[in-house]
Amino acid sequence: MKVAPAMVGVAFLLALLTWLLLNGLNLNSDRYDRQTQALSDFTRFERAVNREVLTSRAGLSKNYDALVAMVDAYDAALVRLREAADPDKEQIAAIDVLAARAARQEELIEQFKSKNALLRNSFTYFSLFSSRLSSSNDRPLVADVSALSAAMLQLTLDTSDATAGELQSRLDNLERLQITSEDNELLHAAVAHGQLLHDLLPDVDAILKALVAETNNREQDAVHALIVKRQLAARVAARKNRLLQYLTSLLLLGALVYFGLLLRARAKALRRRAAFEHVIANISMRFIESHGDGLRSHVESALEELAGFIGADRAYFAWSAAGADNVYRWVREGVRLDATWPNRARDLAQRYDDREDAIIYIPRVRPSYRDDLANLLDEAGIRGWLCIKTASGHGHAAILGFDAIEAAALSQWAEFALFRTAFDAIRNAVGRVVLEQEKERLQASLQQARRMETIGTFASGIAHNFNNIVGAILGYVEIAEAGIKLGTRSATNLAEIRRAGERASELVGQILTFGRRSQGRQERICMSTLVAETQALLAASLPAHVKVVVSQRAEGIIVSGEPAQLQQVILNLCNNAAQAMEQPGTIDLQITEREVMHSLSIGRTELLRGRFAVISVSDPGLGMDEATLEQAFEPFFTTRSEGNGLGLATVREIVEQHGGAVAVRSTLGAGTRFDVWLPCGSLEEPISVQHAPSLALRGNGETVLVFEADRKRLLRYEEILAALGYEPVGFSVLAEAEAACRAAGTRFDAALVCHVPGGSSLDLAYLLHDVAPHLPIILASPSMHHFAAPLLATAGVSELVHHPLMSAELAAVLSRCLAASASKRMKRIATAG
């Protein structure tokens, strides 16, 4: 409702300022300048017209072009003067007088032009005839003509009546002369033109006198006086308006200062509130991130920050029982706080206000009578008091108090209700201490669930392709091993390749189980042997400009864990180190043993007393800044476009599952060092050794139908079956496999149907089972969880194997299927007999 009057006031103020501005600028000054200039041009062109008239009268001008141009300019100056004039009657009347005079002058000029042209013509003829008569032989005639010419010259100089009479007398004498017929016509022509000149010269001079008489400055002076008068009046008005502008500006300035002070006060209040809310938010965030050990320092820091806002000298928080563990204090330097006061203050707050939730604010403690409760505050030396109290669910009171001891009183501030938020934050943080262990358990479960969610999505996308690659490697290795003599260098290399492939296959399972708290297969591992084996793998996989050197190796260090997982830890750390090295360099690998006498915090893990193996991986690479270090172990966080962000997350997950911890130190531009702490095992227990499964079961030339849609993979599987002692017959087209089985159903001893996306492999199993019901069918699939047992039994599937194929698994499955098929065949023969 207050907006409309404000807008009206602003509009009126803008209109007033605009009017003052326009009047204060004296915009008419330009018009007065144009009037003055037009009047000056009028006077100048008037004089120029008179000059041109005199020039024409003297015969110095051949034509009237210049005179006409001056008359036009004269008229134009008058028009400009009239256009620039003020719209008042006085000035218009003065200009009209000036215009009337100009009209009379122009009329005289027109008369002058006509008579002066006739005059100049007559002068020409008179001079011609006089010249001819002067050459006559009649002496008296020549004398009279000479006297006439002299009188004519005198008349051009003096047009008085006496001179005109003298000329008329001469003309009369010549007209009476009787001369010969030859000069008679010349004489009469000369006398006629002389008579015309006698009449015109006085008239022309009279016109010139009239022009000169008309030429005066009275009218111009009158118009100029009016212009100056109007100009001076406009200047006076402009000065007055400028004074009004100045006064209005002062008023506006005062209003702006007033409103500015109001806005400043409001802004200060808003900033103070925002700063206080920011402090509360920071306090709440610290409490959210704090644990039981750091909670006390956080609460004391919060009390200090809150006390600073209202000028308190001491602050305290007490809750539940009166024990020291439930009281938090902050005291300004030089101020003392009685250990019993917080609990006494809680009781006093209850006496002041017996409601469950209340805010008590006493800016100045001034007891007014003997039983006033303020006496208790005064006796305690308190000059100002603010406390927020509430009752918990168990009936125990909690209080947040602020005391002013040295200051006269607490600062006046209207936002004490915000302290309720701070009080709730502190109370919730303190009450959360008793639930810390439960919180950690829930956080661990939540983190595990998140890991399983992200890793499940990630692993499902890579497991199939990765298994295909590893299966191909192991398949070709086994084919190659079949044709190489044991003990040779090639056999050793193939064994290393097979071992690396098996480790890679295990890695798929490790990725799939990342974040799953399963102990897996625990073995006692010699760290020196594990590092040596890992170093050999790294030598073949790292870039050429990166070398791995074991600079310190403590022999006899034994840990308990899964060899593949611990080897993956070292591989991941070394690969990360190599990717951080843009220049040639060396990765330093160290194995040391440390004895922890007291609990030690490493990263986010608390290590208990005991012996630990420490694997350190250092590189001279790019290093990491603080922000990167904080996120280095988060799943899927990476600083490389080609990275997946799972390496270090997997390292920490594996190490923590083994009861260890990971620490990292890094300097930007100077390299990084990772320390992996693993608990050591007992030296007396034997170290288990994992051997690769032997390929003992071989076929005896049995014929196996193989269906694989990929032609290259089909050839590889045929080679694996041939190496196992079977006769493979491969098909990559579904119809061809069905036709071959129909044509000779008893030709095949078993059928191997490999996985085809879209479910056609199971369809083929159905077809083959219809054609040859007694033919054992083996179905190869990347996952065993997609098929229900009744569905497989209906399709005649006897066994399932992993796809891509592993020769050891395939050999065992074929052996079982053929043995079971032979047993069924013997039973059928016995039954038939």
Side-chain angles (χ1 to χ4, degrees):
M1 297 300 292
K2 297 181 179 180
V3 176
M7 293 183 66
V8 172
V10 170
F12 172 76
L13 184 60
L14 289 176
L16 175 63
L17 289 175
T18 304
W19 182 81
L20 291 174
L21 176 63
L22 294 177
N23 287 275
L25 291 176
N26 191 11
L27 299 177
N28 291 325
S29 61
D30 181 58
R31 183 176 61 185
Y32 298 141
D33 291 340
R34 286 187 282 111
Q35 283 182 298
T36 303
Q37 183 64 39
L39 185 61
S40 176
D41 291 344
F42 178 83
T43 302
R44 179 165 55 86
F45 291 133
E46 184 181 47
R47 292 173 182 172
V49 166
N50 292 335
R51 185 173 62 252
E52 286 296 326
V53 168
L54 293 175
T55 302
S56 298
R57 172 64 182 83
L60 299 177
S61 179
K62 300 295 183 181
N63 52 49
Y64 297 121
D65 292 342
L67 181 59
V68 172
M70 288 300 157
V71 171
D72 292 340
Y74 181 61
D75 291 338
L78 184 62
V79 171
R80 287 192 286 113
L81 179 62
R82 190 182 296 277
E83 289 176 350
D86 281 335
D88 63 284
K89 295 181 179 180
E90 185 179 6
Q91 194 170 22
I92 291 174
I95 294 174
D96 289 342
V97 173
L98 193 64
R101 193 190 79 184
R104 291 194 302 271
Q105 286 181 332
E106 290 183 7
E107 184 179 355
L108 291 172
I109 290 171
E110 289 299 323
Q111 295 177 8
F112 168 77
K113 286 164 61 179
S114 300
K115 291 186 177 183
N116 189 60
L118 185 59
L119 182 66
R120 289 177 60 184
N121 186 55
S122 296
F123 259 124
T124 302
Y125 284 106
F126 178 79
S127 299
L128 178 62
F129 295 146
S130 297
S131 176
R132 290 181 180 180
L133 289 173
S134 296
S135 62
S136 176
N137 295 327
D138 189 347
R139 297 297 180 180
L141 177 62
V142 172
D144 289 339
V145 169
S146 298
L148 178 63
S149 297
M152 184 63 70
L153 178 61
Q154 183 64 30
L155 184 62
T156 59
L157 298 176
D158 181 12
T159 57
S160 62
D161 292 340
T163 307
E166 179 65 25
L167 177 61
Q168 186 65 44
S169 176
R170 297 292 183 186
L171 290 171
D172 293 340
N173 290 337
L174 282 174
E175 190 174 4
R176 291 193 294 268
L177 285 178
Q178 298 295 323
I179 58 175
T180 61
S181 59
E182 294 180 355
D183 297 325
N184 191 30
E185 291 183 4
L186 292 174
L187 179 60
H188 285 294
V191 171
H193 282 287
Q195 188 63 47
L196 185 60
L197 290 172
H198 171 270
D199 297 336
L200 288 174
L201 278 171
D203 291 343
V204 170
D205 284 349
I207 292 173
L208 290 177
K209 289 178 183 179
L211 282 173
V212 172
E214 288 289 340
T215 304
N216 59 75
N217 292 330
R218 289 192 305 274
E219 290 82 357
Q220 288 97 318
D221 292 342
V223 174
H224 185 262
L226 289 175
I227 294 173
V228 172
K229 178 182 177 181
R230 299 292 186 272
Q231 191 171 17
L232 292 176
R235 289 177 180 174
V236 171
R239 284 196 295 270
K240 291 181 180 179
N241 285 317
R242 282 195 291 271
L243 179 61
L244 289 176
Q245 282 183 330
Y246 176 72
L247 295 177
T248 306
S249 300
L250 290 180
L251 291 176
L252 288 176
L253 179 61
L256 288 175
V257 170
Y258 173 73
F259 288 114
L261 292 175
L262 290 180
L263 289 174
R264 182 172 178 269
R266 184 62 183 272
K268 288 178 63 176
L270 291 176
R271 284 198 301 269
R272 185 177 179 89
R273 182 184 178 92
F276 189 73
E277 290 175 348
H278 183 68
V279 168
I280 294 177
N282 288 338
I283 291 172
S284 300
M285 290 301 298
R286 288 202 301 268
F287 287 155
I288 291 173
E289 298 172 356
S290 65
H291 299 280
D293 295 338
L295 182 63
R296 177 167 293 278
S297 63
H298 287 323
V299 172
E300 292 174 354
S301 176
L303 292 175
E304 180 181 1
E305 293 182 37
L306 295 173
F309 266 88
I310 53 175
D313 298 310
R314 63 191 191 189
Y316 41 85
F317 178 83
W319 75 290
S320 191
D325 290 339
N326 297 322
V327 177
Y328 302 85
R329 305 177 179 86
W330 171 83
V331 180
R332 192 185 302 279
E333 185 176 357
V335 178
R336 189 180 64 85
L337 176 62
D338 188 356
T340 62
W341 170 246
N343 295 317
R344 289 165 49 204
R346 184 181 58 203
D347 298 336
L348 182 60
Q350 187 64 24
R351 295 174 61 183
Y352 258 104
D353 195 327
D354 57 359
R355 293 177 299 174
E356 290 188 356
D357 296 312
I359 297 178
I360 303 171
Y361 174 51
I362 305 176
R364 294 178 182 273
V365 176
R366 295 174 180 175
S368 56
Y369 53 91
R370 186 180 65 178
D371 296 331
D372 190 356
L373 292 176
N375 288 310
L376 299 177
L377 296 174
D378 187 59
E379 292 173 1
I382 296 175
R383 300 294 174 261
W385 191 40
L386 168 67
C387 85
I388 299 94
K389 75 178 191 71
T390 189
S392 66
H394 300 287
H396 300 297
I399 182 175
L400 173 63
F402 300 91
D403 304 338
I405 304 300
E406 297 181 348
L410 297 178
S411 63
Q412 295 284 346
W413 192 35
E415 300 293 345
F416 289 115
L418 291 176
F419 278 83
R420 166 67 66 181
T421 304
F423 171 73
D424 293 337
I426 297 175
R427 183 184 61 175
N428 293 335
V430 173
R432 198 184 67 234
V433 175
V434 296
L435 303 174
E436 196 68 38
Q437 292 181 350
E438 181 65 16
K439 173 194 140 181
E440 290 180 357
R441 186 186 67 79
L442 294 175
Q443 283 182 338
S445 300
L446 178 61
Q447 184 180 16
Q448 182 69 13
R450 288 175 177 172
R451 284 174 177 166
M452 291 301 296
E453 181 181 358
T454 56
I455 293 304
T457 303
F458 173 74
S460 62
I462 68 168
H464 176 68
N465 293 331
F466 192 64
N467 270 333
N468 290 343
I469 297 170
V470 174
I473 293 172
L474 293 177
Y476 277 117
V477 166
E478 292 185 355
I479 292 172
E481 281 182 334
I484 295 177
K485 185 178 180 181
L486 295 176
T488 62
R489 183 177 183 83
S490 297
T492 303
N493 293 338
L494 288 174
E496 290 294 329
I497 294 173
R498 178 170 52 78
R499 183 180 302 175
E502 291 171 352
R503 288 289 175 92
S505 180
E506 292 179 5
L507 284 181
V508 177
Q510 297 300 325
I511 294 175
L512 291 171
T513 57
F514 172 70
R516 189 184 308 155
R517 291 192 175 277
S518 59
Q519 296 298 324
R521 186 181 67 257
Q522 296 291 319
E523 300 180 7
R524 288 178 42 77
I525 305 166
C526 176
M527 292 306 301
S528 297
T529 303
L530 182 67
V531 169
E533 181 180 344
T534 307
Q535 186 180 10
L537 293 176
L538 289 170
S541 62
L542 292 180
H545 69 279
V546 178
K547 304 296 181 185
V548 179
V549 175
V550 182
S551 62
Q552 187 175 354
R553 188 196 304 267
E555 300 295 338
I557 299 179
I558 306 300
V559 298
S560 177
E562 297 182 59
Q565 286 190 347
L566 295 182
Q567 189 177 65
Q568 185 64 29
V569 168
I570 302 174
L571 288 172
N572 285 359
L573 292 178
C574 291
N575 284 327
N576 275 3
Q579 291 167 357
M581 295 167 59
E582 296 181 348
Q583 302 296 329
T586 301
I587 298 175
D588 185 29
L589 193 60
Q590 299 181 7
I591 310 171
T592 58
E593 187 175 12
R594 295 280 299 274
E595 184 78 22
V596 177
M597 303 304 297
H598 305 284
S599 61
L600 180 65
S601 179
I602 302 293
R604 66 177 185 181
T605 306
E606 191 77 16
L607 298 181
L608 303 178
R609 295 178 55 185
R611 290 188 307 112
F612 290 86
V614 181
I615 305 171
S616 301
V617 179
S618 305
D619 68 80
L622 300 175
M624 294 179 283
D625 55 19
E626 292 296 330
T628 305
L629 278 176
E630 291 179 1
Q631 298 179 277
F633 291 101
E634 293 183 7
F636 302 109
F637 171 78
T638 179
T639 58
R640 297 187 302 274
S641 59
E642 70 277 5
N644 55 36
L646 197 58
L648 292 179
T650 303
V651 166
R652 184 167 66 176
E653 181 72 14
I654 292 173
V655 172
E656 290 181 352
Q657 286 182 5
H658 283 75
V662 183
V664 57
R665 290 175 294 172
S666 183
T667 302
L668 196 62
T672 306
R673 174 182 174 126
F674 285 91
D675 293 322
V676 176
W677 294 64
L678 295 170
C680 293
S682 175
L683 296 176
E684 288 76 16
E685 296 180 9
I687 302 173
S688 60
V689 180
Q690 181 182 5
H691 299 282
S694 61
L695 202 60
L697 302 174
R698 298 179 61 83
N700 294 314
E702 293 89 344
T703 303
V704 178
L705 182 147
V706 183
F707 173 77
E708 169 61 59
D710 188 339
R711 187 63 185 171
K712 293 182 179 180
R713 195 177 294 162
L714 176 62
L715 295 175
R716 184 166 68 250
Y717 292 166
E718 287 178 339
E719 293 177 356
I720 293 176
L721 287 170
L724 292 176
Y726 296 97
E727 180 66 30
V729 178
F731 298 93
S732 59
V733 179
L734 188 63
E736 294 178 357
E738 180 187 0
C741 194
R742 288 184 182 277
T746 59
R747 173 187 175 187
F748 303 106
D749 297 298
L752 175 62
V753 179
C754 297
H755 171 73
V756 177
S760 58
S761 55
L762 194 60
D763 294 339
L764 178 60
Y766 275 111
L767 293 175
L768 296 180
H769 184 61
D770 290 340
V771 174
H774 304 296
L775 181 67
I777 301 174
I778 302 171
L779 184 63
S781 175
S783 175
M784 305 299 179
H785 304 289
H786 301 306
F787 304 104
L791 192 66
L792 295 174
T794 304
V797 176
S798 304
E799 293 279 353
L800 287 174
V801 294
H802 285 90
H803 186 271
L805 301 176
M806 299 285 294
S807 58
E809 182 184 16
L810 183 59
V813 169
L814 281 172
S815 177
R816 287 198 303 270
C817 283
L818 292 175
S821 178
S823 175
K824 290 179 181 179
R825 189 166 52 251
M826 292 300 295
K827 288 182 179 179
R828 287 198 302 269
I829 294 173
T831 304

